[in-house]
Amino acid sequence: MSSRPLKAAVAVAIAGAFSLTAAPAQAAPAADADPWAALTATYAATGKYAYEPFAPTGGYARTNTCAPKMGYHYVNGQLLADPAVDAAKPEALLYEGGSNPSTRKLVGVEWIVPDTAVTAAPTLFGETFFHDTVLKVYSLHAWIYKTNPDGLFTALNPKVTCPA
């Protein structure tokens, strides 16, 4: 069994405990050395899409094109049209699996901002978005449902496969 669900549960429990403590109004937020704690909102917002049939009902359009080392991108057009970056509202869900959508498994999420909507690369979780000059977007991947040996926020995940 993967340790990610356990990490997510621990992160939620810790976040809940900290939210019950009072902090002085002038206290500056501490830099979060553990991105898993910061990803709690992402898990809470996207966990329901682990069951692939829920993705279209959440506004994420299915695709039948599998990008190698990324999977199938299900993009929410309404979120894509808004250049705001919100941890709880990734513009795309990433799935891997067969050509039958109902058999696909959620492996990650992606935030996408058109490069015409901002003057500089956005950041989230202390990570700077990658600029794709071909697609004319900035993007940030988070492999929160399938481990990426190259890194949590690396664009490509060598463990993600497409059907032959």
Side-chain angles (χ1 to χ4, degrees):
M1 179 174 168
S2 173
S3 65
R4 291 195 186 242
L6 177 60
K7 285 181 183 179
V10 169
V12 170
I14 291 171
F18 281 121
S19 70
L20 298 175
T21 62
Q26 70 275 12
D32 189 1
D34 181 13
W36 290 106
L39 284 161
T40 301
T42 308
Y43 268 111
T46 62
K48 62 187 165 201
Y49 302 122
Y51 181 61
E52 188 280 342
F54 286 164
T57 64
Y60 291 93
R62 280 188 178 117
T63 180
N64 287 320
T65 302
C66 186
K69 299 182 183 178
M70 281 198 241
Y72 296 93
H73 286 67
Y74 287 42
V75 178
N76 184 313
Q78 185 176 358
L79 294 175
L80 187 60
D82 179 359
V85 175
D86 185 338
K89 296 179 181 176
E91 283 76 11
L93 303 173
L94 306 171
Y95 289 87
E96 77 170 335
S99 57
N100 179 352
S102 66
T103 64
R104 295 178 185 165
K105 300 207 180 309
L106 183 61
V107 293
V109 297
E110 181 179 8
W111 292 269
I112 306 167
V113 178
D115 65 5
T116 56
V118 293
T119 57
T123 60
L124 186 63
F125 311 118
E127 299 288 326
T128 302
F129 283 41
F130 168 76
H131 188 207
D132 186 326
T133 55
V134 174
L135 296 177
K136 299 185 185 310
V137 297
Y138 290 100
S139 66
L140 179 68
H141 292 79
W143 301 101
I144 61 176
Y145 296 101
K146 183 166 189 161
T147 303
N148 183 348
D150 294 337
L152 177 62
F153 296 109
T154 303
L156 301 176
N157 185 339
K159 289 183 152 186
V160 174
T161 60
C162 291

